[in-house]
């Protein structure tokens, strides 16, 4: 039996009827006209409220189980009409789908799940003219979102309702020793009285031909550190102390730590501070020993390697120790009780927040919270350590972090999607666990596509304040540092009790350009979407408010004007 399908494509204006494709195939003799098409069979599409005169007539004849050979039996005119109609229909559909305007078609997009406005930069009550402030943004219809703002706001409200800042239970010293027996056997409990930095002499039993850094894990696992250790080797043998037929080397720990946070200006602070003649840093800017290397973590996704022993960490301070040793030797000849002015610093931006390794090495507590944190061990050896923290608006920190660490397909749209996914993952954790348990949850942190947890400054600071006093902290804002570098550096000098600089030294320190600024290719991507910014402000708001309360400074609330 022969069948045919006659179809025309007509694009309707907004006030046309809403009945969609109603063409039916059937016996040619008894063919039923589409009631919505006034006697013609049509597939109805509405595009941008414009009427377009497109017509394609298709007639397909089938006899039994025919192949594509039947196509050749079309009359020439009908074959041309068929091909022309298919081409026009394909071009129209492709152009509108690719332009992001497919929401105007009667065919709904499979990627649109919510009632998000087609322009994510416009929230309720915002003026469309404000778009001029975001010249980098793509056309308004180029963004497709998986969640609308009200839906995401419900997720944030769910998280906020479960926020509870509780005091952690501190481990006792014996528990810490059981976890790190070797570390406690190497680092003494008392240090040299005439050194600002915690230093001590230990016997070196190697021969003159012995390479003191032969087994150092920083050398073994990273080629970029080899030149650094070549310099350490050259200086090593000339800075040993000799007594009773034995060799002794001076070992030191940092006097102060720049503990965080990443993408908050710690590199710039480090680069400026190391220009002060009394300050000496580790041979590697960010050893990440307390948080990662002592557990054998180079990259967590690559698994665990051999743990870096504490001796490998102490090696990084050898150049500073050599200068302190020289000062001590010279001072002993003149004034034995004179204090050596050199102080050692360390600037791993992971120290404040990264405790991801605890699940691999410490027995899990019943409530999912880590029984030991990095600061517990630092405090056990250095209860008088000084701690510097540089923070910035956590919303901007997260976007900067994303631009720096994302490897490909970076865009404001992609960032928005990753933020909404991370918020949902965080909420899922908060439904079952405490705030602290979720913040330190290694599985969750690895699953989140952006490092949302790093901006929860109040959680980390409160945990550090359980072992260190507030007077041991200097907490700075990147926004203040960027606007007045000189003032920030003077605050740091005062906090560390550093001597004054000459005008030339100070000019060099304060007028040099910012370090580790945003790369040009990342700047070209423009800002995050205003709606993404609003979502993150809602999420971080309660944590910022708590931080401002702890520090008695409303500037740390980062309230929008």
């Amino acid at each position: 039996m022969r069948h045919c399908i006659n179809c025309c494509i007509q694009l309707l204006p907004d006030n046309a009827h809403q009945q969609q494709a109603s063409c039916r195939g059937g016996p040619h003799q008894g063919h039923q006209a589409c009631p919505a098409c006034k006697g013609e069979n049509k597939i109805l599409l509405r595009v941008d409220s414009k009427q377009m005169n497109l017509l394609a007539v298709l007639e397909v004849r089938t006899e039994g189980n025919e192949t594509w050979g039947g196509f050749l039996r079309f009359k020439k005119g009908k074959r041309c009409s068929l091909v022309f109609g298919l081409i026009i229909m394909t071009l129209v559909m492709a152009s509108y789908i690719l332009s992001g305007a497919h929401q105007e078609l009667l065919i709904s997009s499979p990627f649109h799940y919510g009632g998000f406005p087609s322009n994510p930069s416009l929230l309720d009550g915002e003026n469309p003219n404000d778009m001029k402030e975001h010249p980098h943004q793509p056309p308004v219809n180029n963004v497709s979102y998986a969640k609308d703002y009200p839906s995401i706001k419900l997720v944030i409200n769910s998280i906020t309702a479960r926020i509870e800042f509780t005091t952690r239970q501190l481990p006792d010293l014996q528990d810490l020793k059981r976890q790190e027996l070797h570390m406690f056997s190497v680092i003494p409990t008392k240090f040299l009285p005439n050194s600002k930095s915690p230093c001590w002499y230990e016997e070196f039993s190697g021969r003159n031909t012995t390479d003191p850094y032969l087994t150092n894990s920083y050398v073994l696992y990273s080629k970029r550190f080899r030149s650094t250790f070549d310099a350490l080797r050259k200086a090593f043998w000339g800075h040993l102390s000799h007594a009773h037929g034995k060799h002794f080397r001076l070992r030191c720990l940092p006097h102060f730590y720049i503990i965080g946070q990443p993408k908050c200006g710690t590199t710039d602070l480090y680069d400026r501070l190391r220009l002060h003649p009394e300050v000496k840093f580790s041979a590697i800017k960010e050893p990440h020993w307390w948080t990662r290397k002592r557990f054998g973590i180079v990259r967590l996704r690559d698994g665990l390697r051999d743990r870096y022993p504490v001796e490998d960490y102490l090696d990084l301070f050898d150049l500073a120790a050599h200068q302190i040793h020289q000062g001590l030797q010279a001072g002993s000849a003149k004034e034995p009780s004179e204090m050596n002015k050199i102080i050692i610093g360390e600037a791993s931006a992971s120290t404040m927040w990264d405790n991801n390794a605890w699940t691999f090495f410490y027995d899990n507590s019943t409530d999912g919270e880590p029984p030991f944190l990095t600061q517990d061990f630092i405090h056990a050896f250095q209860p008088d350590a000084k701690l510097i923290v540089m923070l910035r608006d956590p919303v901007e920190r997260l976007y900067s972090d994303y631009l720096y660490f994302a490897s490909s397909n970076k865009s404001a749209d992609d960032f928005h999607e990753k933020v909404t996914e991370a918020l949902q993952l965080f909420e899922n954790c908060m439904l079952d666990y405490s705030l602290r348990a979720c913040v330190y949850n290694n599985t969750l942190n690895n699953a989140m596509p952006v490092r949302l947890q790093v901006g929860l400054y109040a959680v980390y600071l409160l945990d550090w304040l359980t072992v260190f006093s507030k007077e041991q902290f200097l907490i700075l804002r990147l926004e203040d540092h960027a606007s007045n570098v000189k003032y920030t550096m003077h605050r740091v000098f005062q906090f560390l009790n550093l001597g004054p600089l000459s005008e030339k030294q100070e000019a060099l320190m304060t007028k040099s350009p910012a370090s580790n600024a945003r790369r040009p290719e990342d700047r070209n991507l423009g800002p995050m979407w205003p709606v993404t910014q609003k979502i993150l402000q809602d999420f971080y708001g309660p944590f910022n408010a708590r931080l401002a309360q702890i520090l008695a400074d409303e500037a740390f609330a980062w309230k929008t004007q």
Side-chain angles (χ1 to χ4, degrees), residues 142-181:
N142 269 4
V143 184
S144 165
Y145 289 98
K147 285 283 185 182
D148 59 8
Y149 177 74
S151 298
I152 301 173
K153 182 62 175 173
L154 290 176
V155 172
I156 296 172
N157 289 344
S158 173
I159 294 171
T160 302
R162 292 170 172 81
I163 293 175
E164 186 177 359
F165 298 99
T166 58
T167 303
R168 62 183 290 254
Q169 182 176 356
L170 296 179
D172 61 40
L173 183 60
Q174 293 305 314
D175 288 335
L176 294 174
K177 288 182 177 180
R178 280 192 287 269
Q179 297 298 327
E180 297 287 354
L181 290 172

Side-chain angles (χ1 to χ4, degrees), residues 57-78:
V57 179
L58 290 74
E59 183 177 5
V60 183
R61 301 178 185 275
T62 59
E63 292 185 356
N65 195 17
E66 291 188 349
T67 65
W68 279 97
F71 178 78
L72 300 176
R73 290 198 292 271
F74 281 177
K75 293 182 179 180
K76 183 176 181 180
K78 292 184 177 181

Side-chain angles (χ1 to χ4, degrees), residues 426-487:
F426 197 80
E427 182 205 19
N428 289 338
C429 181
M430 290 285 288
L431 293 175
D432 297 317
Y433 297 96
S434 69
L435 173 61
R436 182 178 293 105
C438 292
V439 167
Y440 295 116
N441 187 306
N442 173 58
T443 303
L444 172 64
N445 291 342
N446 288 331
M448 287 195 293
V450 288
R451 300 197 296 182
L452 201 69
Q453 79 282 6
V454 178
L456 304 180
Y457 309 141
V459 177
Y460 302 116
L461 182 57
L462 284 170
D463 282 351
W464 278 80
L465 287 173
T466 60
V467 290
F468 290 100
S469 69
K470 191 181 294 186
E471 290 70 32
Q472 291 175 260
F473 284 87
L474 175 63
I475 301 178
L476 307 168
R477 296 193 333 144
L478 176 60
E479 293 85 353
D480 301 328
H481 179 65
S483 63
N484 194 337
V485 173
K486 187 175 181 179
Y487 175 72

